[in-house]
Amino acid sequence: MNLAQTPGATGPLHALVTASARRAPDALAVHGPEGRLSYGELDALADRYAAALAHRGVRPGERVVIWSHKCPDAIAVMQAALRLGAVYVPVTGANPPPRLSLIARSARPALVVADADALRRAAAAGWAGAPLCGFAELRAAGEGLPVPAPHAADPDHPAYILYTSGSTGVPKGVCLSHRNALSFVTWAAAELDIGPGDRLSNHAPFNFDLSVFDLYAAFLTGASVHLVPQEMAYAPAQLVAFLREREISVWYSVPSALSLMIREGGLLAGPPPPALRACVFAGEPFTPRHARALRREWPKTRLLNWYGPTETNVCTSYELTEADLRGEGPLPIGRACSGDRVWLDPEDGPEGELLVSGPTVMLGYWGGEPQRGPYRTGDLVRRDAAGVLHYLGRRDQLVKVRGHRIEPGEIEAVLTTLDEVAEAAVLVTGSGLAARLHAVVVPAGERGPSLLAVKRRCAERLPTYMIVDRLSLVAELPRTDNGKLDRRLLTARAEAGEL
């Protein structure tokens, strides 16, 4: 498909579904755990929600929070918000009400739209934040109302905000424009030669930047997107069955999901999935032996390693070749893509912090100053003699567990709300599927908190992937010469079993 001639390829994101609906209204658009929608049905449902949102007074530039598990209705509300020129804020349904309150306090939404489960939890928690309504209520309100004309969005206006873990204990909103998303999606769809016959998986939750490809590459090209239910996200046998039964042609997920599917789901036990022609992974380093096992067992399937923080989406890409079977080390992150430019600081050395400039770089953090100049990723990389980039590690304390960005400070802020905690440090021990969140706590009195109490407090205020796995009680935390927490020493002690 010639993407340069695809309607909506350079326009606003909300034009993509409408364009595909006009070309093939009966083609499958979304297949989710609660049903399936054709492009014509998705377009009509988005119009109905847009009418309801407009009737509720939602205006261009205002935010609409979507607090929900993955479902076709959530996607339709995203589209509806965009059609009004509003900005959607996806928040996975696994987030507890206290964390949703922090996000709502930052985003100041005109409305929070929630699924039935989130509505129940909000009611139980005595929700008193932004106006809240359910999908069914909003859908009913839109019946018979006039459909507003689609907003002619400037490509550089905000389209959506993705909240990530924040170092101050407050989630941080990455604000992205129509141009940011389409620059990546158009490149990715062309790179993978996606067309109307493709079936894309959606493994990531909607608040995770991997989902941007799943949804909008499908809508751009008229392909279908198949939503992996959140409860299945790390169920290896079910994921393998999903991949085969849905005849997925393009799979995209964090590497830890693929590793689990290899180790416990029998992904490589039988013949390669016949429909699968591309398998893409991003969000964290892939265990080298698993990546090479895929390359060896699936010789006709393209394998790509994509790299980029939420603030830039995908800015480098590397495709595995037969030559990678002879290597032993981690996979490279490749070369610049999506129209971006990447370079090292310092520029005159073989190693340094990776900087990114170009059309995928975010507008800025919501509520903060606009992003100016290149984005400093905080990632240390090496450029080899051929100009290929290799990831070395982080400059700061931000960590990743199963592809999720986590600022330890956000978990530490929650732990210190416990009366029994004087100080807390959160570490990641192990790597890949063995990565664990380890809390090291200085008790406020003679007895510190139990692991159960720590887990319960995390579950009350944080998403499930930020719940602590282990707990150690210590008399004091190690410090550097300037008085800062010595995380490197503390991690070394934890990994050596000295805590």
Side-chain angles (χ1 to χ4, degrees), residues 258-305:
L258 285 166
S259 288
L260 196 63
M261 292 161 72
I262 291 171
R263 291 176 53 196
E264 300 180 24
L267 181 62
L268 301 180
L276 188 68
R277 58 182 191 79
C279 178
V280 188
F281 34 89
E284 62 189 351
F286 200 172
T287 302
R289 69 178 183 278
H290 288 158
R292 291 183 172 95
L294 285 179
R295 175 70 285 153
R296 183 172 57 253
E297 299 298 327
W298 293 353
K300 296 181 180 180
T301 302
R302 295 181 65 188
L303 303 178
L304 295 98
N305 184 26

Side-chain angles (χ1 to χ4, degrees), residues 387-408:
V388 176
L389 299 172
H390 300 253
Y391 177 80
L392 300 177
R394 291 288 305 167
R395 288 191 63 172
D396 56 20
Q397 281 76 51
L398 184 123
V399 296
K400 283 197 174 184
V401 175
R402 286 186 172 178
H404 293 282
R405 283 175 35 155
I406 295 174
E407 283 277 4

Side-chain angles (χ1 to χ4, degrees), residues 42 52 150 152 157 201 212 320 388 456:
L42 177 59
H157 281 178
S201 67
V212 172
L320 278 71
V388 176
R456 183 181 296 119

Side-chain angles (χ1 to χ4, degrees), residues 307 342-347 351-356 375-382 392-396:
Y307 160 87
V342 301
W343 67 98
L344 308 186
D345 180 19
E347 291 190 70
E351 298 181 2
E353 181 182 5
L354 189 68
L355 276 61
V356 185
Y375 176 73
R376 306 188 71 97
T377 64
D379 287 337
L380 297 175
V381 301
R382 172 177 61 84
L392 300 177
R394 291 288 305 167
R395 288 191 63 172
D396 56 20

Side-chain angles (χ1 to χ4, degrees), residues 136-185:
E137 176 189 350
L138 193 64
R139 196 166 54 242
E143 185 175 2
L145 292 177
V147 177
H151 182 75
D154 184 297
D156 293 314
H157 281 178
Y160 55 93
I161 303 171
L162 301 180
Y163 274 85
T164 66
S165 183
S167 59
T168 62
V170 178
K172 184 166 56 177
V174 179
C175 189
L176 297 136
S177 69
H178 296 261
R179 188 189 306 276
N180 291 154
L182 275 170
S183 295
F184 158 59
V185 168

Side-chain angles (χ1 to χ4, degrees), residues 114-141:
D115 64 14
D117 179 61
L119 288 175
R120 284 192 295 270
R121 288 186 290 131
W127 177 261
L132 177 71
C133 76
F135 289 129
E137 176 189 350
L138 193 64
R139 196 166 54 242

